[in-house]
Amino acid sequence: MNSLLSRRYTEKVRIIVHGGAGNIPKNNTGLYSVGVKKAAEVGLDVLVSGGSALDAVETAVVYMENDPIFDAGKGSVLNKDGFVEMDAIIVDGADLGMGSIAGVRRVRNPVKLARIIMEKTDNNMFIGNSADNLAKQFGLRLESLSYFVTDRRREEWEDMKEGKLDPMRRSMYSTVGAVALDSKGNVVAATSTGGIPFKMPGRVGDTPLIGCGAYADNELGAASATGLGETIMKIVLSKTALGYIKLEGDPMRAAVRAIKLMESKVGGRAGLIIIDPKGNVGIAYNAPKMAFAFNEGNKIVYGTEIP
Ligand code: GLY
């Protein structure tokens, strides 16, 4: 169990991002670290120039969706049939607005579509082809199916198909997410993923489910999760962690308690980033590593292991 238990920060604006939890292969550790650092930087730029938490988390998540090292957007893992199916969510703590999508195949930046659903439709969640069509209708960029498939993911998929690589033992859940507090005191959370490798077509994990993959409420804080969706969703991990902040008096302890609860009740590997309404940071995971970054003033603290 890892957490930032000994450190407490209070900032006027804050962004925390994650790039997944699991067995980060040694030769890729640097790429994950650089990716989350840059994502936090672009999100922080938005906040320090007076931008909203909504714009900050969208910017950070879009950055990671476009970075092929992560399991979101380009670089997403492939399902059993060799295709990418992506899920995403955004939650606005100011009014509990939410937008989410499951099983999209063509929208370049799923988090942008989640935000459009939140802001421009009367609904909360869309799935599959209809969601991709909605993206087109709102002028979002669609890509060919092959745009999302990287050589690395194709090779992994071939190894899984031939039985050389066990998808569960592979277990690097490099879902991406961000939470932010802006200068007006609003908190927002967003999460985006290609799901788990070699999943059954149509399988949906925790990411697009409200309270599981993400949650935000200005009175509670904001949270984004990564890890095995089948266990995360059973304990509604993001909302559960935020509910613990008052009990524990600290988001770091709250994040640890929520991960421990999941582990003891249903097992599974996961990671969490949470922020309280004052901008205090909570990071915890029960996987070997988790890629994370957050600002401390203008400085970005980042890594794949909590010291
Ligand atoms: N946490 C991502 C998934 O299980 O799909």
Side-chain angles (χ1 to χ4, degrees), residues 71 87 173 175 193-196 199 203-208 225-230 232:
D71 175 19
D87 311 325
Y173 305 111
T175 293
T193 191
I196 55 173
K199 63 188 181 182
R203 175 266 185 195
V204 177
D206 60 299
T207 298
T226 172
L228 183 61
E230 277 68 13
I232 292 173

Side-chain angles (χ1 to χ4, degrees), residues 218-242:
N218 281 358
E219 288 178 20
L220 297 175
S224 169
T226 172
L228 183 61
E230 277 68 13
T231 56
I232 292 173
M233 68 172 82
K234 285 179 182 158
I235 63 143
V236 195
L237 187 62
S238 291
K239 180 74 160 52
T240 298
L242 294 178

Side-chain angles (χ1 to χ4, degrees), residues 81-102:
D81 289 349
F83 292 106
V84 161
E85 290 181 320
M86 301 170 287
D87 311 325
I89 186 168
I90 194 161
V91 190
D92 184 351
D95 59 2
L96 306 191
M98 69 160 284
S100 82
I101 46 169

Side-chain angles (χ1 to χ4, degrees), residues 21-276:
N23 300 313
I24 299 180
K26 268 203 179 106
N27 54 342
N28 281 335
T29 309
L31 293 174
Y32 279 94
S33 293
V34 169
V36 287
K37 178 173 182 264
K38 288 201 169 152
E41 278 169 359
V42 294
L44 182 60
D45 283 349
V46 172
L47 293 172
V48 295
S49 55
S52 67
L54 266 173
D55 287 340
V57 299
E58 181 186 323
T59 303
V61 170
V62 163
Y63 183 88
M64 292 185 281
E65 286 175 341
N66 293 343
D67 181 339
I69 194 73
F70 298 109
D71 175 19
K74 187 176 177 71
S76 287
V77 297
L78 309 187
N79 68 12
K80 256 189 173 165
D81 289 349
F83 292 106
V84 161
E85 290 181 320
M86 301 170 287
D87 311 325
I89 186 168
I90 194 161
V91 190
D92 184 351
D95 59 2
L96 306 191
M98 69 160 284
S100 82
I101 46 169
V104 294
R105 286 181 162 199
R106 297 206 46 212
V107 59
R108 181 186 175 98
N109 292 115
V111 73
K112 286 193 181 186
L113 178 55
R115 184 169 176 183
I116 280 177
I117 288 165
M118 176 174 77
E119 293 180 336
K120 299 194 174 156
T121 78
D122 295 328
N123 308 110
N124 293 346
M125 187 172 187
F126 286 84
I127 59 165
N129 279 343
S130 308
D132 276 319
N133 290 339
L134 197 66
K136 194 172 174 196
Q137 207 176 303
F138 281 104
L140 288 184
R141 189 159 162 183
L142 298 188
E143 299 288 354
S144 64
L145 299 184
S146 60
Y147 161 85
F148 298 97
V149 181
T150 59
D151 290 347
R152 171 179 161 232
R153 296 301 190 195
R154 174 64 63 190
E155 281 158 24
E156 279 175 8
W157 179 83
E158 276 162 9
D159 285 350
M160 286 172 197
K161 207 164 178 245
E162 287 167 22
K164 290 191 209 152
L165 183 61
D166 177 346
M168 294 312 283
R169 290 189 64 190
R170 172 75 182 74
S171 73
M172 175 56 207
Y173 305 111
S174 38
T175 293
V176 306
V179 296
L181 168 72
D182 64 26
S183 54
K184 293 192 174 136
N186 291 321
V187 294
V188 175
T191 310
S192 181
T193 191
I196 55 173
F198 219 64
K199 63 188 181 182
M200 297 277 285
R203 175 266 185 195
V204 177
D206 60 299
T207 298
L209 305 181
I210 184 80
C212 302
Y215 199 72
D217 179 337
N218 281 358
E219 288 178 20
L220 297 175
S224 169
T226 172
L228 183 61
E230 277 68 13
T231 56
I232 292 173
M233 68 172 82
K234 285 179 182 158
I235 63 143
V236 195
L237 187 62
S238 291
K239 180 74 160 52
T240 298
L242 294 178
Y244 283 155
I245 294 178
K246 268 202 182 120
L247 287 173
E248 293 290 336
D250 180 292
M252 295 164 199
R253 279 188 249 279
V256 170
R257 184 164 166 181
I259 294 278
K260 277 189 178 160
L261 178 81
M262 183 192 77
E263 195 173 293
S264 66
K265 280 196 170 278
V266 291
R269 294 272 173 261
L272 259 181
I273 52 172
I274 67 176
I275 191 170
D276 74 6

